[in-house]
Amino acid sequence: MSRLILHRLFYGLLTLFVVSLVVFLATQALPGDAARAMLGRNATPERLETLRAQLNLDDPLALQYGKWVAGLFVLDFGDSYANALPVAEYLGPRISGSLTLMGISAVIATPIAVLLGAFSALRRDRAADHATSLASLVVAAVPEFAVGILLILAFATGALHVLPAVFAGSAGSVLADPVQLVLPVATLVIAVSPPIIRMMRASMIEVLESEYVQQARLKGLPESTVIWRHAAPNAIGPVAQVIAVQLGWLAGGVVAIEFLFGFPGIGLALMDAIATRDIPVVQAVTLLIAMVYIVVNLLADVVGLAANPKVRVSSR
Amino acid sequence: MPSTPAESSHHPADSAPDSSPTRRTVLMAGAAGAVVVPALSACGGGGSSDSGGGGRLRVGVAGGSAQDTLDAHQPTDNTDIARCHNLYESLCLFGTDYTIKMALAESVEVDGDAKLWTIKLKKGLKFHDGSAITADSVIHTLRRVTDPEALSTSSQQLSTMDRDNLKKVDELTVEVPFTEPYVTFRELLAEYAMGIVPEGYDPEKPIGAGAFKYTSFTPGERSLFAAFDGYWQGRPQIDELEIINFPDETARVNALIGGQVDAISQLPHSQLEVVKSNGNLQTLESETGMWLPFTMRVDKKPFDDVRVRQAFRLIVDREQMVDQALAGHGSVGNDIYGRFDPAYDEEKLPAQREQDIDEAKRLLEEAGYGDGLEVQLVTGPISAGAEAAAQVLKEQAAEAGVTVKLKQTNSTEYYGDNYLQWTFAQDFWVTRNYLSQAAQGSMPSAPFNETHWADEEWIRLIKKARATVDDKKRNEIIRQAMKIEHERGGYIIWGFVNTLDAFHSKVKGLEPSVTGHPLTSYGFHRVRIEA
């Protein structure tokens, strides 16, 4: 078991390395460099030259990449080209802002989706079940960006004017005005829930038809005890993996949502950094997102393995 | 994924002074001038006429990114420009009609051969930290702007200033020598990127003399400023000013509608109706000197033949282009820039050029392109309306048997290594006077000579105008230069763009301005928030 986890960790690190290399080369392949992007139309040859020298953009690519990787080993992500701040300092408040947004969304989405899935299973083939299934299918098919736009139209600028349409707060204090978080969180919750709902429904149906649940019913236990003490805990196992994967998706999904709501997190920082060819920031953010994915998938695997006695025994 | 908005222009919007009284009266009469449009009748508000005053004004400005800066002399993006206008003060300033007025300077005078300028400061002026604004501050600022180690946005325009021989005459007087005649120095001194800073100035803790002093700043997000009691035009009526970045235009409009900001710059035409239908909001439309030309390289086939250039100018239906590319929010151009220059007197300039397909065909035939011509036009989201204008041109050119192939680029590619090398492309320029614009875009030494214009006769006239101190004589020379460009230049100047801003009805004091900078040149010292 532990060997398996170490194995996975090693591959995770390898993946990160490949991601960093691909992202580095991809940003290099974009037309124009940081100096051009920053100076824009003010890019007189003299100013370009001065800035390129300042940012060491004239170094060979391998050297630029090497320097950056070497920095990683001492947890130095370099300085942002765009504003000369250390990347860690610039991204710090933004990371905590995004994590807050993702955290709140996860805490709300997980129990709601699990309960909805269970409810659907219990009402199997009745109107409520069909409605839930259809709704989760539709939402799953709509990109999260569109969900956000529809919510804005419905609650902020169109039909009703009850919620703020954009986040105009500060990354350092996202909870200062919680009402501004309602729509971005709602968008993420709606986007992240359908797979969890569908998995929970399927898993619950399977458990409800299993022998021990039939057994519990024959014993004459009250229905609520049967469902919440015997069925639900056993149904959660397979769903845990899906939940983990969905939480991993949040790390990427947050990019589009932040852009839409003007939420100053890592997503907005990434869009910004791509536009200005701010490679140190692009690298740091993509690695962070990749890392969340890898860790979450690892956790999902571990949960899956832990729930499977055969594996537990055989891979000592 | 939305691409980076073109509206966050990397473009030093700039300068220019006096517009002739005749021109101005026309504007003020609203012939095509700016108008504040109350969006329906303001409901609520109860018509309270008390001054209100105080409070924080929250402004959503287009653009902004991680490279935001507070440096007085290095602004690139709109949000930088908005901050410069409020944090710093220059020696002169542009009025809403583009006339030059004295700001920190009492007077800026030039001697006979336009090579020596004398700046006199007003008495008793203070910076935000209470220190006096003196001749030393002016000298320090001019030297900082021209520092070869950190070239500023204005450095190129001061390349002929003799920076080693700036002379302090007394505490309030500075003599500024130039190596060549330079008659437009006042225009440069009125630029927002020419704010006077004290000796020992540090952009990290910026001290200026603007209406608002620095409180806090987060690059890529927002900045906060507080009213400066010692501002030379009197303390602003609001207590605090918050400038918030909005790279995304939808978010910007939504923030205004949702009441999270009180005013926004650069309302997209597509969102005008949304704002107008809201009783609590007002729009502000300003006619400006901003133009989105097509650029024809005069040294490259087919545009090296003046007849082809003339034909292309005759192909354009200007009214249609303004209607379609700018949704009607603009006015037609006559292939001459510097419309607010005192020299720009329609009476004394060639008549408005109109579409004439037959004449265009005849000229093309004469030039040897009788059996069709195909050109590539490079376009991109460089400014609102540019891509639409390219589409319209493509259609109009077809009528004359000319095939225009569009090459689509993004901003970064457009302003990349091939910028200024495209044979046929577009660009955008803000309000400037003729000589300043020529120095930026048309002289052989100009940093952005995109048409590769190098007409000997024209260059002689510009050099002569630069050395002519007498306004009347200089304007006459400038008009001769204008006529030459109108006849054989490389620009198609089909129109001038109106800017649109929007704000909450409780925000009072903003007015139209032809400078091309949104929200009365971000003039928040004039704003009052009604209770």
Side-chain angles (χ1 to χ4, degrees), chain A:
Chain A
M1 180 81 182
S2 58
R3 222 177 54 200
L4 198 122
I5 293 177
L6 278 175
H7 205 129
R8 287 299 177 102
L9 272 177
F10 169 74
Y11 276 110
L13 284 173
L14 194 66
T15 313
L16 280 182
F17 170 71
V18 174
V19 165
S20 81
L21 196 59
V22 169
V23 170
F24 181 80
L25 292 173
T27 41
Q28 291 291 353
L30 289 168
D33 64 354
R36 269 232 174 266
M38 285 162 70
L39 291 172
R41 213 178 120 158
N42 293 328
T44 53
E46 299 80 24
R47 293 184 83 194
L48 272 175
E49 208 174 310
T50 316
L51 191 57
R52 281 186 181 139
Q54 277 171 3
L55 300 176
N56 300 323
L57 295 181
D58 298 326
D59 292 355
L61 288 189
L63 183 63
Q64 286 186 51
Y65 180 75
K67 271 187 186 166
W68 179 78
V69 170
L72 289 188
F73 286 105
V74 288
L75 291 183
D76 172 12
F77 293 90
D79 291 348
S80 156
Y81 288 166
N83 55 27
L85 286 172
V87 170
E89 185 186 323
Y90 168 65
L91 286 178
R94 286 169 171 77
I95 292 172
S96 74
S98 290
L99 283 178
T100 311
L101 188 61
M102 285 157 55
I104 296 172
S105 307
V107 166
I108 292 173
T110 310
I112 288 182
V114 166
L115 285 175
L116 268 177
F119 168 80
S120 233
L122 294 170
R123 302 257 153 198
R124 192 175 169 186
D125 291 333
R126 287 195 237 162
D129 176 32
H130 287 310
T132 313
S133 294
L134 183 70
S136 62
L137 200 63
V138 168
V139 171
V142 178
E144 69 272 16
F145 204 80
V147 172
I149 290 173
L150 289 172
L151 286 179
I152 290 175
L153 281 174
F155 295 104
T157 57
L160 300 165
H161 286 234
V162 288
L163 290 166
V166 293
F167 184 91
S170 219
S173 51
V174 288
L175 296 173
D177 186 8
V179 75
Q180 298 195 5
L181 288 172
V182 174
L183 284 184
V185 165
T187 308
L188 284 171
V189 166
I190 290 173
V192 86
S193 295
I196 303 177
I197 296 174
R198 299 171 62 77
M199 189 68 203
M200 184 67 193
R201 177 179 178 271
S203 174
M204 191 80 176
I205 285 173
E206 200 177 324
V207 171
L208 285 173
E209 287 172 349
S210 69
E211 279 182 29
Y212 60 87
V213 170
Q214 306 295 348
Q215 197 66 30
R217 280 188 177 141
L218 289 174
K219 273 188 194 162
L221 290 174
E223 188 64 6
S224 64
T225 313
V226 172
I227 292 167
W228 301 117
R229 290 285 303 279
H230 295 264
N234 285 304
I236 287 279
V239 181
Q241 274 186 316
V242 177
I243 292 174
V245 171
Q246 285 304 100
L247 297 188
W249 172 88
L250 266 182
V254 85
V255 175
I257 297 309
E258 285 183 4
F259 186 86
L260 183 64
F261 289 96
F263 184 92
I266 52 165
L268 216 51
L270 178 63
M271 307 277 283
D272 200 22
I274 292 171
T276 56
R277 308 284 184 272
D278 193 347
I279 292 171
V281 173
V282 174
Q283 287 281 39
V285 175
T286 44
L287 279 192
L288 191 71
I289 293 175
M291 207 166 76
V292 171
Y293 262 100
I294 289 166
V295 168
V296 159
N297 276 307
L298 186 71
L299 284 177
D301 286 348
V302 170
V303 169
L305 292 172
N308 185 340
K310 259 196 283 188
V311 179
R312 264 209 308 265
V313 177
S314 70
S315 67
R316 247 184 299 225

Side-chain angles (χ1 to χ4, degrees), chain B residues 87-129:
Chain B
L87 194 52
Y88 304 106
E89 197 73 5
S90 303
L91 290 166
C92 309
L93 60 82
F94 291 112
T96 52
D97 56 359
Y98 217 50
T99 51
I100 293 201
K101 300 178 169 27
M102 292 298 134
L104 299 180
E106 180 68 45
S107 67
V108 178
E109 296 303 331
V110 64
D111 72 345
D113 67 355
K115 278 187 176 178
L116 183 69
W117 285 85
T118 306
I119 299 168
K120 269 200 171 48
L121 284 163
K122 290 189 166 86
K123 282 196 190 73
L125 295 178
K126 297 266 189 289
F127 284 113
H128 295 156
D129 61 355

Side-chain angles (χ1 to χ4, degrees), chain B residues 162-180:
Chain B
D162 185 358
R163 73 189 291 268
D164 297 323
N165 291 306
L166 299 172
K167 190 165 148 222
K168 176 177 174 180
V169 179
D170 59 43
E171 275 309 303
L172 297 177
T173 315
V174 179
E175 283 184 350
V176 185
F178 285 84
T179 54
E180 282 177 27

